[in-house]
């Protein structure tokens, strides 16, 4: 399948789906507390999506080739979990860091975003990793404009991560998004400037770097989904869905509670 360029009608639907995904992340924020299980967070988000928003949680029963169906409606990845954590009985405790990844379907279109949350006060190292990963995502986003290359995005993210002494997870990447959850192109979070596909207005894709405090290597748990760092170092991830506009980019997954761009972009 080639890269789809969204029409203005499709862009409008993507804006709605993107905002709704972000609003789930807003909704859950005050509920991320010590003593809460990741399954409880899942159930709250599920009810909000289905009953309040009228959206479909895209992860539920999602089964790409080679995977068993994902059993829950959001991904919750704690501490050294990199991504695709399955909500369950794990109870959050003070000092944990958590990624919540939400993908909704509204009117046939997907919106995909994730944020990091702190349970109580994080360690200095955890806060530094989370803040740096957020800056790296925005470094990637600010490359987006017609004529830029996918490699420009990857190089900006990689340079940002490595300047902090962190490493970029290689096995998972951002992705085109629209009628399908994962479309072309693949948006790598590492690379060389001036390489790769040229961006065109109407493309919609995610930028979702996974950054490890230690080495880049990962492994998959026996549940068939959860990805963890091999060295058990902390990992962080942020994700936005973006549109390539005539002049640059539009972030499609903003909401009232979305954190502002980092100070480095002011
Ligand atoms: N939302 C994830 C992404 O950003 C994908 C999760 S797939 C799932 O691409 F099945 F684990 F939900
Ligand atoms: Co995504
Ligand atoms: Co996601």
């Amino acid at each position: 399948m080639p890269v789809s360029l969204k029409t203005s009608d499709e862009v409008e639907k993507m804006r709605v789906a993107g905002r709704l995904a972000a609003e789930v992340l807003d909704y859950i924020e005050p509920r991320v507390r010590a003593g809460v299980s990741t399954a409880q967070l899942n159930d709250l988000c599920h009810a909000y999506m289905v009953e309040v928003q009228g959206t479909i949680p895209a992860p539920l029963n999602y089964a790409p080739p080679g995977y068993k169906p994902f059993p829950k409606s959001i991904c919750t990845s704690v501490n050294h979990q990199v991504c695709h954590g399955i909500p369950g009985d794990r109870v959050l405790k003070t000092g944990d860091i958590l990624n919540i990844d939400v993908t909704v379907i509204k009117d046939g279109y997907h919106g995909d975003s994730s944020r990091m949350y702190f349970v109580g006060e994080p360690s200095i190292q955890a806060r530094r990793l989370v803040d740096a990963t957020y800056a790296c995502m925005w470094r990637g986003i600010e490359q987006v404009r017609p004529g830029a290359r996918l490699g420009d995005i990857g190089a900006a993210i990689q340079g940002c991560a490595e300047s902090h002494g962190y490493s970029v997870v290689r096995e998972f990447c951002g992705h085109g998004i629209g009628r399908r959850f994962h479309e072309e192109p693949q948006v790598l979070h590492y690379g060389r400037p001036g390489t790769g596909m040229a961006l065109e207005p109407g493309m919609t894709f995610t930028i979702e770097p996974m950054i490890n405090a230690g080495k880049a290597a990962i492994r998959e748990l026996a549940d068939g989904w959860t990805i963890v760092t091999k060295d058990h170092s902390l990992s962080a991830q942020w994700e936005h869905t973006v549109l390539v506009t005539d002049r640059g980019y539009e972030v499609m997954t903003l909401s009232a509670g979305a954190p502002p761009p980092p100070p480095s972009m002011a």
Side-chain angles (χ1 to χ4, degrees), residues 175-239:
H175 50 92
I177 182 167
R179 277 202 169 279
R180 283 169 301 127
F181 194 164
H182 294 102
E183 304 185 345
E184 287 179 56
Q186 296 195 53
V187 182
L188 302 185
H189 302 118
Y190 60 92
R192 281 185 296 121
T195 66
M197 184 184 292
L199 305 186
E200 292 177 54
M203 289 181 176
T204 50
F205 53 82
T206 71
I207 297 179
E208 50 178 301
M210 286 140 273
I211 307 292
N212 298 346
K215 295 207 171 78
I218 53 137
R219 87 192 160 77
E220 186 180 287
L221 297 189
D223 64 19
W225 278 101
T226 309
I227 304 298
V228 299
T229 56
K230 242 186 193 160
D231 63 8
H232 280 71
S233 64
L234 282 181
S235 188
Q237 179 179 28
W238 292 82
E239 175 176 25

Side-chain angles (χ1 to χ4, degrees), residues 103-253:
T103 311
V104 303
I105 310 171
K106 182 72 167 182
D107 210 359
Y109 287 83
H110 291 74
D112 188 7
S113 186
S114 81
R115 296 182 195 158
M116 296 298 298
Y117 299 83
F118 297 126
V119 182
E121 271 303 300
S123 68
I124 288 166
Q125 299 94 299
R127 185 185 296 279
R128 202 184 280 142
L129 174 68
V130 167
D131 290 353
T133 302
Y134 188 64
C136 292
M137 174 186 67
W138 276 100
R139 287 275 167 250
I141 291 172
E142 67 186 356
Q143 300 300 315
V144 174
R145 59 176 171 77
R149 306 288 201 92
L150 285 175
D152 299 337
I153 299 171
I157 292 167
Q158 182 181 7
C160 176
E162 292 176 357
S163 77
H164 286 88
Y166 299 144
S167 55
V168 175
V169 172
R170 309 292 165 126
E171 289 84 349
F172 298 92
C173 55
H175 50 92
I177 182 167
R179 277 202 169 279
R180 283 169 301 127
F181 194 164
H182 294 102
E183 304 185 345
E184 287 179 56
Q186 296 195 53
V187 182
L188 302 185
H189 302 118
Y190 60 92
R192 281 185 296 121
T195 66
M197 184 184 292
L199 305 186
E200 292 177 54
M203 289 181 176
T204 50
F205 53 82
T206 71
I207 297 179
E208 50 178 301
M210 286 140 273
I211 307 292
N212 298 346
K215 295 207 171 78
I218 53 137
R219 87 192 160 77
E220 186 180 287
L221 297 189
D223 64 19
W225 278 101
T226 309
I227 304 298
V228 299
T229 56
K230 242 186 193 160
D231 63 8
H232 280 71
S233 64
L234 282 181
S235 188
Q237 179 179 28
W238 292 82
E239 175 176 25
H240 270 313
T241 298
V242 301
L243 165 71
V244 184
T245 64
D246 289 335
R247 300 171 44 95
Y249 64 84
E250 177 181 322
V251 178
M252 309 196 92
T253 36

Side-chain angles (χ1 to χ4, degrees), residues 64-116:
Y67 287 83
K68 46 188 176 182
F70 191 80
K72 295 287 184 179
S73 297
I74 61 172
C75 299
T76 52
S77 305
V78 184
N79 295 340
H80 77 296
Q81 296 177 350
V82 172
C83 64
H84 301 168
I86 302 175
D89 294 337
R90 184 185 186 136
V91 173
L92 298 176
K93 57 179 192 337
T94 300
D96 284 344
I97 64 170
L98 169 70
N99 175 278
I100 299 181
D101 193 334
V102 167
T103 311
V104 303
I105 310 171
K106 182 72 167 182
D107 210 359
Y109 287 83
H110 291 74
D112 188 7
S113 186
S114 81
R115 296 182 195 158
M116 296 298 298

Side-chain angles (χ1 to χ4, degrees), residues 16-33 41 44-45 48-49 52-53 74 99-104 112-117 134 238-240 251-260:
V16 172
R19 178 177 46 76
L20 289 165
E23 286 175 355
V24 178
L25 297 171
D26 291 358
Y27 161 77
I28 204 63
E29 180 173 50
R31 293 156 175 91
V32 177
R33 309 289 298 258
L41 296 176
L44 288 164
C45 288
Y48 188 78
M49 289 186 263
V52 178
Q53 295 186 323
I74 61 172
N99 175 278
I100 299 181
D101 193 334
V102 167
T103 311
V104 303
D112 188 7
S113 186
S114 81
R115 296 182 195 158
M116 296 298 298
Y117 299 83
Y134 188 64
W238 292 82
E239 175 176 25
H240 270 313
V251 178
M252 309 196 92
T253 36
L254 294 176
S255 61

